[in-house]
Amino acid sequence: MSMNIEVRLVGLGSGLLLGAGLMLAGMTRPEKVLAFLDVAGEWDPSLAFAMAGAIGVFAIAAFAARARLRPLWAEAFQWPEAALVDAPLVLGSALFGIGWGIVGYCPGPAIVSVGAGSIPAAWFTVAMGVGMVAYRLSRR
Amino acid sequence: MVDFTPVPALCGGLLIGAGASLLLLGIGRIAGVCGIVGSLLDAPRSPDAGWRTAFIVGLAFSGLVGFALAPASVTNVANSPPALVGAGLLVGYGARLANGCTSGHAVCGIGRGSTRSIVATCTFMLTAGVTVFLVRHVVGR
């Protein structure tokens, strides 16, 4: 139980860093996200730099993690186990992309924007939660 | 005019990577926002509910502080509530079905070399791009 507070602080710190990064990158400006996706229009490739930076840093961390027996404040690394490319992966990603393309919000930036007091982001985020619960209910 | 900002975008990306790395090396978890939110909604009494809640509080708090320091960094979309709700439903349902979203697949998944995540990222980039094309250049012209 003594690890409990450390585990929560890691969660908090991770959320803070991620949120700050999303804001600095421009992901909390839906028009910038849509300009990144609008290859046929006035394309703004900025967010490709954000993706490259994030993937690069995380790749180093993942490499370091594989060389360790356990994380700093938990018993074991919990790597995703699924390995097969299947229909739910492709269908779910396709639906996700359509929603992302309609308004320019994905889950992280939407929650950051709610914190900033955005009413449109609150509409989106509540509906996103309903969509997540709907998925769980559909699995029963 | 294209608002091309590669330096802040790259710096933001490095911070995003640092946040995801902290969660992995600290407690061994993947920083997928939809996985964290979805798991919290599915199992609010799980032993993991504490750090998951703290993570979401951290995201929202960064928005609160960031907006106070730099109001231009958060903008509102012009979409109507029905469009926002429709998009939110698609994003929430789709991300859970695909077991990951932008942070989980495009950052963490690709960063650790997962084939599933590369396929997921290519798929949602494609459908998002097609959706923007249809909305802006076919319907909206």
mmCIF file with all atom_site columns, all heavy atoms in Angstrom, chain A residues 10 14 58 61-66 70-72 76-79, chain B residues 19-31:
data_model
loop_
_atom_site.group_PDB
_atom_site.id
_atom_site.type_symbol
_atom_site.label_atom_id
_atom_site.label_alt_id
_atom_site.label_comp_id
_atom_site.label_asym_id
_atom_site.label_entity_id
_atom_site.label_seq_id
_atom_site.pdbx_PDB_ins_code
_atom_site.Cartn_x
_atom_site.Cartn_y
_atom_site.Cartn_z
_atom_site.occupancy
_atom_site.B_iso_or_equiv
_atom_site.pdbx_formal_charge
_atom_site.auth_seq_id
_atom_site.auth_comp_id
_atom_site.auth_asym_id
_atom_site.auth_atom_id
_atom_site.pdbx_PDB_model_num
ATOM 1   N N   . VAL A 1 10 ? 2.502  9.319  -10.188 1.00 0.00 ? 10 VAL A N   1
ATOM 2   C CA  . VAL A 1 10 ? 2.966  9.032  -11.550 1.00 0.00 ? 10 VAL A CA  1
ATOM 3   C C   . VAL A 1 10 ? 1.818  9.265  -12.533 1.00 0.00 ? 10 VAL A C   1
ATOM 4   O O   . VAL A 1 10 ? 2.007  9.880  -13.589 1.00 0.00 ? 10 VAL A O   1
ATOM 5   C CB  . VAL A 1 10 ? 3.491  7.581  -11.657 1.00 0.00 ? 10 VAL A CB  1
ATOM 6   C CG1 . VAL A 1 10 ? 3.680  7.184  -13.117 1.00 0.00 ? 10 VAL A CG1 1
ATOM 7   C CG2 . VAL A 1 10 ? 4.815  7.448  -10.913 1.00 0.00 ? 10 VAL A CG2 1
ATOM 8   N N   . SER A 1 14 ? 2.041  12.109 -15.353 1.00 0.00 ? 14 SER A N   1
ATOM 9   C CA  . SER A 1 14 ? 1.927  11.707 -16.751 1.00 0.00 ? 14 SER A CA  1
ATOM 10  C C   . SER A 1 14 ? 0.825  12.494 -17.450 1.00 0.00 ? 14 SER A C   1
ATOM 11  O O   . SER A 1 14 ? 1.010  12.982 -18.568 1.00 0.00 ? 14 SER A O   1
ATOM 12  C CB  . SER A 1 14 ? 1.654  10.198 -16.824 1.00 0.00 ? 14 SER A CB  1
ATOM 13  O OG  . SER A 1 14 ? 1.417  9.803  -18.149 1.00 0.00 ? 14 SER A OG  1
ATOM 14  N N   . PHE A 1 58 ? 9.081  7.957  -26.790 1.00 0.00 ? 58 PHE A N   1
ATOM 15  C CA  . PHE A 1 58 ? 8.488  6.745  -26.211 1.00 0.00 ? 58 PHE A CA  1
ATOM 16  C C   . PHE A 1 58 ? 9.227  5.485  -26.674 1.00 0.00 ? 58 PHE A C   1
ATOM 17  O O   . PHE A 1 58 ? 9.327  4.514  -25.915 1.00 0.00 ? 58 PHE A O   1
ATOM 18  C CB  . PHE A 1 58 ? 6.994  6.635  -26.548 1.00 0.00 ? 58 PHE A CB  1
ATOM 19  C CG  . PHE A 1 58 ? 6.329  5.526  -25.786 1.00 0.00 ? 58 PHE A CG  1
ATOM 20  C CD1 . PHE A 1 58 ? 5.980  5.694  -24.451 1.00 0.00 ? 58 PHE A CD1 1
ATOM 21  C CD2 . PHE A 1 58 ? 6.087  4.296  -26.382 1.00 0.00 ? 58 PHE A CD2 1
ATOM 22  C CE1 . PHE A 1 58 ? 5.398  4.661  -23.734 1.00 0.00 ? 58 PHE A CE1 1
ATOM 23  C CE2 . PHE A 1 58 ? 5.502  3.259  -25.671 1.00 0.00 ? 58 PHE A CE2 1
ATOM 24  C CZ  . PHE A 1 58 ? 5.155  3.441  -24.342 1.00 0.00 ? 58 PHE A CZ  1
ATOM 25  N N   . ALA A 1 61 ? 11.964 4.989  -24.303 1.00 0.00 ? 61 ALA A N   1
ATOM 26  C CA  . ALA A 1 61 ? 11.456 4.490  -23.022 1.00 0.00 ? 61 ALA A CA  1
ATOM 27  C C   . ALA A 1 61 ? 11.060 3.018  -23.122 1.00 0.00 ? 61 ALA A C   1
ATOM 28  O O   . ALA A 1 61 ? 11.325 2.232  -22.202 1.00 0.00 ? 61 ALA A O   1
ATOM 29  C CB  . ALA A 1 61 ? 10.255 5.330  -22.574 1.00 0.00 ? 61 ALA A CB  1
ATOM 30  N N   . ALA A 1 62 ? 10.437 2.638  -24.232 1.00 0.00 ? 62 ALA A N   1
ATOM 31  C CA  . ALA A 1 62 ? 10.022 1.242  -24.407 1.00 0.00 ? 62 ALA A CA  1
ATOM 32  C C   . ALA A 1 62 ? 11.260 0.338  -24.480 1.00 0.00 ? 62 ALA A C   1
ATOM 33  O O   . ALA A 1 62 ? 11.267 -0.766 -23.923 1.00 0.00 ? 62 ALA A O   1
ATOM 34  C CB  . ALA A 1 62 ? 9.170  1.095  -25.667 1.00 0.00 ? 62 ALA A CB  1
ATOM 35  N N   . PHE A 1 63 ? 12.302 0.810  -25.152 1.00 0.00 ? 63 PHE A N   1
ATOM 36  C CA  . PHE A 1 63 ? 13.551 0.054  -25.231 1.00 0.00 ? 63 PHE A CA  1
ATOM 37  C C   . PHE A 1 63 ? 14.151 -0.114 -23.836 1.00 0.00 ? 63 PHE A C   1
ATOM 38  O O   . PHE A 1 63 ? 14.554 -1.212 -23.433 1.00 0.00 ? 63 PHE A O   1
ATOM 39  C CB  . PHE A 1 63 ? 14.525 0.782  -26.157 1.00 0.00 ? 63 PHE A CB  1
ATOM 40  C CG  . PHE A 1 63 ? 15.804 0.044  -26.388 1.00 0.00 ? 63 PHE A CG  1
ATOM 41  C CD1 . PHE A 1 63 ? 15.855 -1.035 -27.263 1.00 0.00 ? 63 PHE A CD1 1
ATOM 42  C CD2 . PHE A 1 63 ? 16.966 0.424  -25.721 1.00 0.00 ? 63 PHE A CD2 1
ATOM 43  C CE1 . PHE A 1 63 ? 17.044 -1.723 -27.469 1.00 0.00 ? 63 PHE A CE1 1
ATOM 44  C CE2 . PHE A 1 63 ? 18.159 -0.266 -25.918 1.00 0.00 ? 63 PHE A CE2 1
ATOM 45  C CZ  . PHE A 1 63 ? 18.199 -1.336 -26.793 1.00 0.00 ? 63 PHE A CZ  1
ATOM 46  N N   . ALA A 1 64 ? 14.157 0.981  -23.066 1.00 0.00 ? 64 ALA A N   1
ATOM 47  C CA  . ALA A 1 64 ? 14.685 0.927  -21.698 1.00 0.00 ? 64 ALA A CA  1
ATOM 48  C C   . ALA A 1 64 ? 13.843 -0.008 -20.832 1.00 0.00 ? 64 ALA A C   1
ATOM 49  O O   . ALA A 1 64 ? 14.377 -0.753 -20.003 1.00 0.00 ? 64 ALA A O   1
ATOM 50  C CB  . ALA A 1 64 ? 14.722 2.333  -21.096 1.00 0.00 ? 64 ALA A CB  1
ATOM 51  N N   . ALA A 1 65 ? 12.515 0.033  -21.039 1.00 0.00 ? 65 ALA A N   1
ATOM 52  C CA  . ALA A 1 65 ? 11.624 -0.801 -20.221 1.00 0.00 ? 65 ALA A CA  1
ATOM 53  C C   . ALA A 1 65 ? 11.884 -2.280 -20.465 1.00 0.00 ? 65 ALA A C   1
ATOM 54  O O   . ALA A 1 65 ? 11.846 -3.094 -19.534 1.00 0.00 ? 65 ALA A O   1
ATOM 55  C CB  . ALA A 1 65 ? 10.165 -0.456 -20.538 1.00 0.00 ? 65 ALA A CB  1
ATOM 56  N N   . ARG A 1 66 ? 12.176 -2.630 -21.712 1.00 0.00 ? 66 ARG A N   1
ATOM 57  C CA  . ARG A 1 66 ? 12.390 -4.047 -22.035 1.00 0.00 ? 66 ARG A CA  1
ATOM 58  C C   . ARG A 1 66 ? 13.661 -4.585 -21.373 1.00 0.00 ? 66 ARG A C   1
ATOM 59  O O   . ARG A 1 66 ? 13.806 -5.783 -21.168 1.00 0.00 ? 66 ARG A O   1
ATOM 60  C CB  . ARG A 1 66 ? 12.462 -4.259 -23.543 1.00 0.00 ? 66 ARG A CB  1
ATOM 61  C CG  . ARG A 1 66 ? 11.187 -3.861 -24.254 1.00 0.00 ? 66 ARG A CG  1
ATOM 62  C CD  . ARG A 1 66 ? 10.823 -4.839 -25.359 1.00 0.00 ? 66 ARG A CD  1
ATOM 63  N NE  . ARG A 1 66 ? 9.669  -4.367 -26.120 1.00 0.00 ? 66 ARG A NE  1
ATOM 64  C CZ  . ARG A 1 66 ? 8.424  -4.759 -25.891 1.00 0.00 ? 66 ARG A CZ  1
ATOM 65  N NH1 . ARG A 1 66 ? 8.161  -5.629 -24.910 1.00 0.00 ? 66 ARG A NH1 1
ATOM 66  N NH2 . ARG A 1 66 ? 7.429  -4.308 -26.614 1.00 0.00 ? 66 ARG A NH2 1
ATOM 67  N N   . ARG A 1 70 ? 11.160 -4.768 -13.924 1.00 0.00 ? 70 ARG A N   1
ATOM 68  C CA  . ARG A 1 70 ? 9.892  -4.208 -13.462 1.00 0.00 ? 70 ARG A CA  1
ATOM 69  C C   . ARG A 1 70 ? 9.975  -2.692 -13.474 1.00 0.00 ? 70 ARG A C   1
ATOM 70  O O   . ARG A 1 70 ? 11.067 -2.115 -13.459 1.00 0.00 ? 70 ARG A O   1
ATOM 71  C CB  . ARG A 1 70 ? 9.572  -4.700 -12.046 1.00 0.00 ? 70 ARG A CB  1
ATOM 72  C CG  . ARG A 1 70 ? 10.736 -4.589 -11.080 1.00 0.00 ? 70 ARG A CG  1
ATOM 73  C CD  . ARG A 1 70 ? 10.347 -5.054 -9.712  1.00 0.00 ? 70 ARG A CD  1
ATOM 74  N NE  . ARG A 1 70 ? 9.454  -4.078 -9.094  1.00 0.00 ? 70 ARG A NE  1
ATOM 75  C CZ  . ARG A 1 70 ? 9.053  -4.132 -7.822  1.00 0.00 ? 70 ARG A CZ  1
ATOM 76  N NH1 . ARG A 1 70 ? 9.449  -5.139 -7.068  1.00 0.00 ? 70 ARG A NH1 1
ATOM 77  N NH2 . ARG A 1 70 ? 8.271  -3.227 -7.323  1.00 0.00 ? 70 ARG A NH2 1
ATOM 78  N N   . PRO A 1 71 ? 8.807  -2.036 -13.509 1.00 0.00 ? 71 PRO A N   1
ATOM 79  C CA  . PRO A 1 71 ? 8.821  -0.571 -13.437 1.00 0.00 ? 71 PRO A CA  1
ATOM 80  C C   . PRO A 1 71 ? 9.213  -0.108 -12.034 1.00 0.00 ? 71 PRO A C   1
ATOM 81  O O   . PRO A 1 71 ? 9.362  -0.917 -11.115 1.00 0.00 ? 71 PRO A O   1
ATOM 82  C CB  . PRO A 1 71 ? 7.384  -0.181 -13.779 1.00 0.00 ? 71 PRO A CB  1
ATOM 83  C CG  . PRO A 1 71 ? 6.569  -1.403 -13.598 1.00 0.00 ? 71 PRO A CG  1
ATOM 84  C CD  . PRO A 1 71 ? 7.461  -2.587 -13.702 1.00 0.00 ? 71 PRO A CD  1
ATOM 85  N N   . LEU A 1 72 ? 9.375  1.193  -11.860 1.00 0.00 ? 72 LEU A N   1
ATOM 86  C CA  . LEU A 1 72 ? 9.891  1.727  -10.601 1.00 0.00 ? 72 LEU A CA  1
ATOM 87  C C   . LEU A 1 72 ? 8.928  1.516  -9.437  1.00 0.00 ? 72 LEU A C   1
ATOM 88  O O   . LEU A 1 72 ? 9.340  1.198  -8.331  1.00 0.00 ? 72 LEU A O   1
ATOM 89  C CB  . LEU A 1 72 ? 10.187 3.222  -10.766 1.00 0.00 ? 72 LEU A CB  1
ATOM 90  C CG  . LEU A 1 72 ? 11.362 3.531  -11.707 1.00 0.00 ? 72 LEU A CG  1
ATOM 91  C CD1 . LEU A 1 72 ? 11.375 5.019  -12.070 1.00 0.00 ? 72 LEU A CD1 1
ATOM 92  C CD2 . LEU A 1 72 ? 12.682 3.133  -11.068 1.00 0.00 ? 72 LEU A CD2 1
ATOM 93  N N   . ALA A 1 76 ? 5.021  -5.182 -12.273 1.00 0.00 ? 76 ALA A N   1
ATOM 94  C CA  . ALA A 1 76 ? 5.365  -5.687 -13.606 1.00 0.00 ? 76 ALA A CA  1
ATOM 95  C C   . ALA A 1 76 ? 4.910  -4.719 -14.692 1.00 0.00 ? 76 ALA A C   1
ATOM 96  O O   . ALA A 1 76 ? 3.995  -3.932 -14.480 1.00 0.00 ? 76 ALA A O   1
ATOM 97  C CB  . ALA A 1 76 ? 4.704  -7.050 -13.831 1.00 0.00 ? 76 ALA A CB  1
ATOM 98  N N   . PHE A 1 77 ? 5.579  -4.811 -15.836 1.00 0.00 ? 77 PHE A N   1
ATOM 99  C CA  . PHE A 1 77 ? 5.112  -4.070 -17.006 1.00 0.00 ? 77 PHE A CA  1
ATOM 100 C C   . PHE A 1 77 ? 3.880  -4.775 -17.576 1.00 0.00 ? 77 PHE A C   1
ATOM 101 O O   . PHE A 1 77 ? 3.863  -5.996 -17.676 1.00 0.00 ? 77 PHE A O   1
ATOM 102 C CB  . PHE A 1 77 ? 6.207  -4.012 -18.082 1.00 0.00 ? 77 PHE A CB  1
ATOM 103 C CG  . PHE A 1 77 ? 7.353  -3.134 -17.715 1.00 0.00 ? 77 PHE A CG  1
ATOM 104 C CD1 . PHE A 1 77 ? 8.555  -3.671 -17.278 1.00 0.00 ? 77 PHE A CD1 1
ATOM 105 C CD2 . PHE A 1 77 ? 7.234  -1.758 -17.795 1.00 0.00 ? 77 PHE A CD2 1
ATOM 106 C CE1 . PHE A 1 77 ? 9.620  -2.849 -16.929 1.00 0.00 ? 77 PHE A CE1 1
ATOM 107 C CE2 . PHE A 1 77 ? 8.293  -0.927 -17.448 1.00 0.00 ? 77 PHE A CE2 1
ATOM 108 C CZ  . PHE A 1 77 ? 9.489  -1.479 -17.009 1.00 0.00 ? 77 PHE A CZ  1
ATOM 109 N N   . GLN A 1 78 ? 2.854  -3.995 -17.915 1.00 0.00 ? 78 GLN A N   1
ATOM 110 C CA  . GLN A 1 78 ? 1.652  -4.596 -18.500 1.00 0.00 ? 78 GLN A CA  1
ATOM 111 C C   . GLN A 1 78 ? 1.585  -4.213 -19.978 1.00 0.00 ? 78 GLN A C   1
ATOM 112 O O   . GLN A 1 78 ? 0.973  -3.215 -20.345 1.00 0.00 ? 78 GLN A O   1
ATOM 113 C CB  . GLN A 1 78 ? 0.414  -4.139 -17.728 1.00 0.00 ? 78 GLN A CB  1
ATOM 114 C CG  . GLN A 1 78 ? 0.512  -4.564 -16.275 1.00 0.00 ? 78 GLN A CG  1
ATOM 115 C CD  . GLN A 1 78 ? -0.822 -4.612 -15.581 1.00 0.00 ? 78 GLN A CD  1
ATOM 116 O OE1 . GLN A 1 78 ? -1.870 -4.483 -16.201 1.00 0.00 ? 78 GLN A OE1 1
ATOM 117 N NE2 . GLN A 1 78 ? -0.795 -4.803 -14.276 1.00 0.00 ? 78 GLN A NE2 1
ATOM 118 N N   . TRP A 1 79 ? 2.238  -5.028 -20.798 1.00 0.00 ? 79 TRP A N   1
ATOM 119 C CA  . TRP A 1 79 ? 2.241  -4.786 -22.240 1.00 0.00 ? 79 TRP A CA  1
ATOM 120 C C   . TRP A 1 79 ? 0.933  -5.298 -22.845 1.00 0.00 ? 79 TRP A C   1
ATOM 121 O O   . TRP A 1 79 ? 0.439  -6.341 -22.415 1.00 0.00 ? 79 TRP A O   1
ATOM 122 C CB  . TRP A 1 79 ? 3.420  -5.511 -22.901 1.00 0.00 ? 79 TRP A CB  1
ATOM 123 C CG  . TRP A 1 79 ? 4.759  -5.090 -22.402 1.00 0.00 ? 79 TRP A CG  1
ATOM 124 C CD1 . TRP A 1 79 ? 5.555  -5.769 -21.524 1.00 0.00 ? 79 TRP A CD1 1
ATOM 125 C CD2 . TRP A 1 79 ? 5.479  -3.897 -22.744 1.00 0.00 ? 79 TRP A CD2 1
ATOM 126 N NE1 . TRP A 1 79 ? 6.726  -5.072 -21.293 1.00 0.00 ? 79 TRP A NE1 1
ATOM 127 C CE2 . TRP A 1 79 ? 6.702  -3.922 -22.038 1.00 0.00 ? 79 TRP A CE2 1
ATOM 128 C CE3 . TRP A 1 79 ? 5.206  -2.814 -23.591 1.00 0.00 ? 79 TRP A CE3 1
ATOM 129 C CZ2 . TRP A 1 79 ? 7.652  -2.904 -22.136 1.00 0.00 ? 79 TRP A CZ2 1
ATOM 130 C CZ3 . TRP A 1 79 ? 6.159  -1.811 -23.691 1.00 0.00 ? 79 TRP A CZ3 1
ATOM 131 C CH2 . TRP A 1 79 ? 7.369  -1.858 -22.975 1.00 0.00 ? 79 TRP A CH2 1
ATOM 132 N N   . GLY B 2 19 ? 5.523  12.219 -21.048 1.00 0.00 ? 19 GLY B N   1
ATOM 133 C CA  . GLY B 2 19 ? 4.393  11.810 -20.206 1.00 0.00 ? 19 GLY B CA  1
ATOM 134 C C   . GLY B 2 19 ? 4.104  10.326 -20.340 1.00 0.00 ? 19 GLY B C   1
ATOM 135 O O   . GLY B 2 19 ? 3.902  9.622  -19.333 1.00 0.00 ? 19 GLY B O   1
ATOM 136 N N   . ALA B 2 20 ? 4.100  9.837  -21.567 1.00 0.00 ? 20 ALA B N   1
ATOM 137 C CA  . ALA B 2 20 ? 3.840  8.409  -21.796 1.00 0.00 ? 20 ALA B CA  1
ATOM 138 C C   . ALA B 2 20 ? 4.974  7.565  -21.230 1.00 0.00 ? 20 ALA B C   1
ATOM 139 O O   . ALA B 2 20 ? 4.741  6.485  -20.669 1.00 0.00 ? 20 ALA B O   1
ATOM 140 C CB  . ALA B 2 20 ? 3.656  8.150  -23.292 1.00 0.00 ? 20 ALA B CB  1
ATOM 141 N N   . SER B 2 21 ? 6.203  8.064  -21.338 1.00 0.00 ? 21 SER B N   1
ATOM 142 C CA  . SER B 2 21 ? 7.366  7.326  -20.821 1.00 0.00 ? 21 SER B CA  1
ATOM 143 C C   . SER B 2 21 ? 7.336  7.236  -19.303 1.00 0.00 ? 21 SER B C   1
ATOM 144 O O   . SER B 2 21 ? 7.676  6.206  -18.719 1.00 0.00 ? 21 SER B O   1
ATOM 145 C CB  . SER B 2 21 ? 8.660  8.019  -21.260 1.00 0.00 ? 21 SER B CB  1
ATOM 146 O OG  . SER B 2 21 ? 8.730  8.076  -22.660 1.00 0.00 ? 21 SER B OG  1
ATOM 147 N N   . LEU B 2 22 ? 6.912  8.327  -18.653 1.00 0.00 ? 22 LEU B N   1
ATOM 148 C CA  . LEU B 2 22 ? 6.810  8.323  -17.193 1.00 0.00 ? 22 LEU B CA  1
ATOM 149 C C   . LEU B 2 22 ? 5.845  7.235  -16.722 1.00 0.00 ? 22 LEU B C   1
ATOM 150 O O   . LEU B 2 22 ? 6.126  6.496  -15.773 1.00 0.00 ? 22 LEU B O   1
ATOM 151 C CB  . LEU B 2 22 ? 6.337  9.704  -16.709 1.00 0.00 ? 22 LEU B CB  1
ATOM 152 C CG  . LEU B 2 22 ? 6.018  9.842  -15.222 1.00 0.00 ? 22 LEU B CG  1
ATOM 153 C CD1 . LEU B 2 22 ? 7.267  9.596  -14.372 1.00 0.00 ? 22 LEU B CD1 1
ATOM 154 C CD2 . LEU B 2 22 ? 5.443  11.224 -14.910 1.00 0.00 ? 22 LEU B CD2 1
ATOM 155 N N   . LEU B 2 23 ? 4.689  7.122  -17.409 1.00 0.00 ? 23 LEU B N   1
ATOM 156 C CA  . LEU B 2 23 ? 3.702  6.116  -16.999 1.00 0.00 ? 23 LEU B CA  1
ATOM 157 C C   . LEU B 2 23 ? 4.249  4.701  -17.210 1.00 0.00 ? 23 LEU B C   1
ATOM 158 O O   . LEU B 2 23 ? 4.045  3.815  -16.374 1.00 0.00 ? 23 LEU B O   1
ATOM 159 C CB  . LEU B 2 23 ? 2.396  6.307  -17.789 1.00 0.00 ? 23 LEU B CB  1
ATOM 160 C CG  . LEU B 2 23 ? 1.155  5.749  -17.110 1.00 0.00 ? 23 LEU B CG  1
ATOM 161 C CD1 . LEU B 2 23 ? 0.805  6.548  -15.864 1.00 0.00 ? 23 LEU B CD1 1
ATOM 162 C CD2 . LEU B 2 23 ? -0.030 5.721  -18.058 1.00 0.00 ? 23 LEU B CD2 1
ATOM 163 N N   . LEU B 2 24 ? 4.975  4.503  -18.318 1.00 0.00 ? 24 LEU B N   1
ATOM 164 C CA  . LEU B 2 24 ? 5.513  3.168  -18.602 1.00 0.00 ? 24 LEU B CA  1
ATOM 165 C C   . LEU B 2 24 ? 6.620  2.794  -17.610 1.00 0.00 ? 24 LEU B C   1
ATOM 166 O O   . LEU B 2 24 ? 6.567  1.733  -16.980 1.00 0.00 ? 24 LEU B O   1
ATOM 167 C CB  . LEU B 2 24 ? 6.062  3.106  -20.035 1.00 0.00 ? 24 LEU B CB  1
ATOM 168 C CG  . LEU B 2 24 ? 6.665  1.747  -20.412 1.00 0.00 ? 24 LEU B CG  1
ATOM 169 C CD1 . LEU B 2 24 ? 5.577  0.674  -20.506 1.00 0.00 ? 24 LEU B CD1 1
ATOM 170 C CD2 . LEU B 2 24 ? 7.442  1.824  -21.714 1.00 0.00 ? 24 LEU B CD2 1
ATOM 171 N N   . LEU B 2 25 ? 7.623  3.649  -17.464 1.00 0.00 ? 25 LEU B N   1
ATOM 172 C CA  . LEU B 2 25 ? 8.757  3.312  -16.600 1.00 0.00 ? 25 LEU B CA  1
ATOM 173 C C   . LEU B 2 25 ? 8.380  3.406  -15.126 1.00 0.00 ? 25 LEU B C   1
ATOM 174 O O   . LEU B 2 25 ? 8.939  2.705  -14.291 1.00 0.00 ? 25 LEU B O   1
ATOM 175 C CB  . LEU B 2 25 ? 9.942  4.232  -16.906 1.00 0.00 ? 25 LEU B CB  1
ATOM 176 C CG  . LEU B 2 25 ? 10.552 4.023  -18.296 1.00 0.00 ? 25 LEU B CG  1
ATOM 177 C CD1 . LEU B 2 25 ? 11.565 5.113  -18.628 1.00 0.00 ? 25 LEU B CD1 1
ATOM 178 C CD2 . LEU B 2 25 ? 11.211 2.652  -18.402 1.00 0.00 ? 25 LEU B CD2 1
ATOM 179 N N   . GLY B 2 26 ? 7.391  4.277  -14.801 1.00 0.00 ? 26 GLY B N   1
ATOM 180 C CA  . GLY B 2 26 ? 6.968  4.437  -13.418 1.00 0.00 ? 26 GLY B CA  1
ATOM 181 C C   . GLY B 2 26 ? 6.109  3.292  -12.929 1.00 0.00 ? 26 GLY B C   1
ATOM 182 O O   . GLY B 2 26 ? 6.403  2.669  -11.911 1.00 0.00 ? 26 GLY B O   1
ATOM 183 N N   . ILE B 2 27 ? 5.036  2.982  -13.672 1.00 0.00 ? 27 ILE B N   1
ATOM 184 C CA  . ILE B 2 27 ? 4.106  1.950  -13.183 1.00 0.00 ? 27 ILE B CA  1
ATOM 185 C C   . ILE B 2 27 ? 3.784  0.884  -14.235 1.00 0.00 ? 27 ILE B C   1
ATOM 186 O O   . ILE B 2 27 ? 2.885  0.072  -14.044 1.00 0.00 ? 27 ILE B O   1
ATOM 187 C CB  . ILE B 2 27 ? 2.791  2.576  -12.639 1.00 0.00 ? 27 ILE B CB  1
ATOM 188 C CG1 . ILE B 2 27 ? 2.032  3.345  -13.710 1.00 0.00 ? 27 ILE B CG1 1
ATOM 189 C CG2 . ILE B 2 27 ? 3.090  3.495  -11.450 1.00 0.00 ? 27 ILE B CG2 1
ATOM 190 C CD1 . ILE B 2 27 ? 0.653  3.825  -13.247 1.00 0.00 ? 27 ILE B CD1 1
ATOM 191 N N   . GLY B 2 28 ? 4.502  0.905  -15.368 1.00 0.00 ? 28 GLY B N   1
ATOM 192 C CA  . GLY B 2 28 ? 4.387  -0.193 -16.327 1.00 0.00 ? 28 GLY B CA  1
ATOM 193 C C   . GLY B 2 28 ? 3.139  -0.169 -17.182 1.00 0.00 ? 28 GLY B C   1
ATOM 194 O O   . GLY B 2 28 ? 2.744  -1.208 -17.718 1.00 0.00 ? 28 GLY B O   1
ATOM 195 N N   . ARG B 2 29 ? 2.523  1.001  -17.324 1.00 0.00 ? 29 ARG B N   1
ATOM 196 C CA  . ARG B 2 29 ? 1.279  1.063  -18.084 1.00 0.00 ? 29 ARG B CA  1
ATOM 197 C C   . ARG B 2 29 ? 1.431  1.875  -19.364 1.00 0.00 ? 29 ARG B C   1
ATOM 198 O O   . ARG B 2 29 ? 2.280  2.756  -19.460 1.00 0.00 ? 29 ARG B O   1
ATOM 199 C CB  . ARG B 2 29 ? 0.175  1.714  -17.224 1.00 0.00 ? 29 ARG B CB  1
ATOM 200 C CG  . ARG B 2 29 ? -0.154 0.955  -15.955 1.00 0.00 ? 29 ARG B CG  1
ATOM 201 C CD  . ARG B 2 29 ? -0.547 -0.475 -16.266 1.00 0.00 ? 29 ARG B CD  1
ATOM 202 N NE  . ARG B 2 29 ? -0.979 -1.151 -15.050 1.00 0.00 ? 29 ARG B NE  1
ATOM 203 C CZ  . ARG B 2 29 ? -2.262 -1.450 -14.798 1.00 0.00 ? 29 ARG B CZ  1
ATOM 204 N NH1 . ARG B 2 29 ? -3.199 -1.154 -15.658 1.00 0.00 ? 29 ARG B NH1 1
ATOM 205 N NH2 . ARG B 2 29 ? -2.579 -2.066 -13.674 1.00 0.00 ? 29 ARG B NH2 1
ATOM 206 N N   . ILE B 2 30 ? 0.550  1.571  -20.325 1.00 0.00 ? 30 ILE B N   1
ATOM 207 C CA  . ILE B 2 30 ? 0.506  2.287  -21.597 1.00 0.00 ? 30 ILE B CA  1
ATOM 208 C C   . ILE B 2 30 ? -0.414 3.499  -21.437 1.00 0.00 ? 30 ILE B C   1
ATOM 209 O O   . ILE B 2 30 ? -1.542 3.375  -20.956 1.00 0.00 ? 30 ILE B O   1
ATOM 210 C CB  . ILE B 2 30 ? -0.039 1.363  -22.708 1.00 0.00 ? 30 ILE B CB  1
ATOM 211 C CG1 . ILE B 2 30 ? 0.911  0.182  -22.958 1.00 0.00 ? 30 ILE B CG1 1
ATOM 212 C CG2 . ILE B 2 30 ? -0.275 2.144  -23.998 1.00 0.00 ? 30 ILE B CG2 1
ATOM 213 C CD1 . ILE B 2 30 ? 2.261  0.548  -23.532 1.00 0.00 ? 30 ILE B CD1 1
ATOM 214 N N   . ALA B 2 31 ? 0.089  4.685  -21.847 1.00 0.00 ? 31 ALA B N   1
ATOM 215 C CA  . ALA B 2 31 ? -0.679 5.929  -21.684 1.00 0.00 ? 31 ALA B CA  1
ATOM 216 C C   . ALA B 2 31 ? -1.630 6.128  -22.860 1.00 0.00 ? 31 ALA B C   1
ATOM 217 O O   . ALA B 2 31 ? -1.469 7.031  -23.658 1.00 0.00 ? 31 ALA B O   1
ATOM 218 C CB  . ALA B 2 31 ? 0.268  7.123  -21.554 1.00 0.00 ? 31 ALA B CB  1
#
